[in-house]
Amino acid sequence: MANIKSQIKRNRQTILRNERNKGARSSLKTQIKKFLTTVESGDKEAAQTSYRETAQAFDKAASKGIIHKNKAANTKSRLAKKLPS
């Protein structure tokens, strides 16, 4: 355990940020699952809407630094390939 006051504060902040980011990453995974189930149902319009929401969530997470911007781009690309044409 740290003895320095500023380090104790940094440890508290790290724990809070870690919990917040964990929740955000978990919601991204949920968003992906929702998109994939929509694609499997075969409804084109619902899949397009779901993809738009998922892509927006990934862009937002990347802009906030929760995930890397390249990971967001790669995931969006991989999901776009699954869209019914």
Side-chain angles (χ1 to χ4, degrees), residues 2 9 17 19 24 35 49 51 55-56 59 69 71 74 84:
K9 180 179 178 180
R17 288 184 184 129
E19 290 298 317
F35 168 73
T49 305
Y51 174 75
Q56 186 177 15
D59 287 336
K69 63 177 183 161
K71 180 177 174 63
N74 289 339

Side-chain angles (χ1 to χ4, degrees), residues 23-38:
R25 284 190 299 268
S26 174
S27 70
L28 287 176
K29 290 178 187 175
T30 304
Q31 195 82 20
I32 290 173
K33 288 178 190 172
K34 206 186 303 184
F35 168 73
L36 293 176
T37 55
T38 307

Side-chain angles (χ1 to χ4, degrees), residues 53-66:
E53 292 171 359
T54 305
Q56 186 177 15
F58 270 91
D59 287 336
K60 193 170 184 181
S63 71
K64 291 186 175 190
I66 294 168

Side-chain angles (χ1 to χ4, degrees), residues 35 39 42-45 47-48 79-85:
F35 168 73
V39 168
D43 188 5
K44 273 187 176 182
E45 285 187 30
Q48 287 281 6
L79 293 177
K81 288 180 183 176
K82 294 182 185 278
L83 278 172
S85 45

